[in-house]
Amino acid sequence: MAAVEMLRTKAQARPRVTDTLWRYAGGLLLFCAVGGIAVLSLFNLERYPVTWFDEGSHLHVPKTLVVDGVYADRSAEGYRFFGPTTGVGPTVLLPIAGVFKLAGIGLVQARLVMVAYLLLALAAFGALARYLYGWRIAALALALLVSMPGINLLYLGRQVLGEVPALAFLSLALLTWSRSVEAGARELRCLLLACVAFGLTALTKNQFALILVPTLLLLWAVDRLYYRALSWRQTVLPLAAVFGGAGLCQLTPLLPLLGTDELGRTLALARDASAGAIFVFVPQRIFSSLKFLFSAENAGFWVLPSLLYGLAFVRRDTSRVLPHAFLMLFAVCGLTWFAFGSIGWPRYAFPALALTTLLSARLIADVLRPLFDRVGNLRTRLRAIAVLAVVVIPIGMGLAETARSVVTARDDSPQRMAAFLNETVPQETIVETWEPEMGFLSDHAFHYPPSGWLDRAVRAKWLGGSAQQEYDPMQVSSPEYLLVGRFGKYTDAYRAFIHHTRPELIRSIGDYDLYRLHGAR
């Protein structure tokens, strides 16, 4: 009897050992994901990542708002009301303008706002994961989110882009929406908060709205056909909020153009830009997108297996099955559009891949849990260690590579070229360039190629369209200098012009070449 009682006592004690192992593992993952990112998010902020075309164009808007009082991009010929004003919403640009007003205009000031959004995104994402699956899976999901190369969270989150702020709002939206579903149709407070968060998501980055619309429509259809658990307002109101946020993002910059001929031209540019990158159906791009999704950057982190595993839970009768179904539909819609409908830029996969880490963390945790529950067997223990290594090693490598990139970044060529311009070129002199970051770092009168040329550049580089060999800046402006940097060289926009006119090379700094055009003073 004593022996039986001893065995029974050991059996009862074993789950406590398992819980302890999970607690330590989860605590370590949580420390690596949150503590590490909090430290790295502020280190070397001005140099990593090197400011470039997208961030520079977005920064034009808050700078123009503070200096001129106009919510628009600016070129030497005047204001431009399309492009940066719709690529990122006022939820990002207005706080940056506020910081500029208080602390002065600068790259570090703008990126501090983005770091705040980055930390908010981590907190909201972690709260969502904990609510749906528990704190252990939340810690693992955060580790995957931070370390996964295909997501590249720290790279995107430290610069003025809309993806990470939109993820913060989307995480809050899903958290409050899930609470409203669990509370039933009578719980209006959580539902209204969710609608606000859904609207802010679409207002921040219209790419998220493009995925949320089919997700909510499919969720409504699936619920009507199978679950029959949602009220009409739990799908219709969030859908209306998404449309409202996306519409507000697109229409706000156009308000000064109402009643003018410029409105029609701006809307035509918007339509052409959408056709150039968002809605593309080209076989070679589909192949390239699928290759990216099946690469080690993603499949190595259990993304594709976790989608298949997640299908097993959408039919279970649990209190969290509807939020889980939402995640599955969002991931499927987002990855389908990325692979088959978009041009295939890795950033377009960001929303779906970010939320898929929740499903990946659940799969990994479910694989590891039974192995740790039977740690007494040597063979099972070795198997658990092997599986754990498969998970921990890629996470550790991803975190180490991220840390290395942040710590070792030394390229400040944009700042040095801006300083050279300030010292040698009069501010009223027109400088032709396709490097919008220069327009933020310097106050010179820069002229940029018209918006339509961006669509041509996209097609030339990604879809095999006509090359950028026709653009002649002298036909649209009267520049005295030409500055060619990373984006100008990438698109070959000025190669033919330089070949024919042979301008004088004044200075080269990093990837930037400054030319004096013939006839300039």
Side-chain angles (χ1 to χ4, degrees), residues 341-372:
S342 77
I343 201 171
W345 290 333
R347 276 170 56 193
Y348 280 1
F350 175 86
L353 289 178
L355 288 192
T356 303
T357 57
L358 292 170
L359 306 174
S360 301
R362 182 170 183 173
L363 169 58
I364 294 170
D366 287 349
V367 169
L368 292 176
R369 184 176 293 111
L371 297 177
F372 280 115

Side-chain angles (χ1 to χ4, degrees), residues 62-77:
K63 180 179 180 179
T64 304
L65 182 59
V66 171
V67 174
D68 299 336
V70 181
Y71 189 78
D73 186 11
R74 186 173 183 177
S75 182
E77 80 279 5

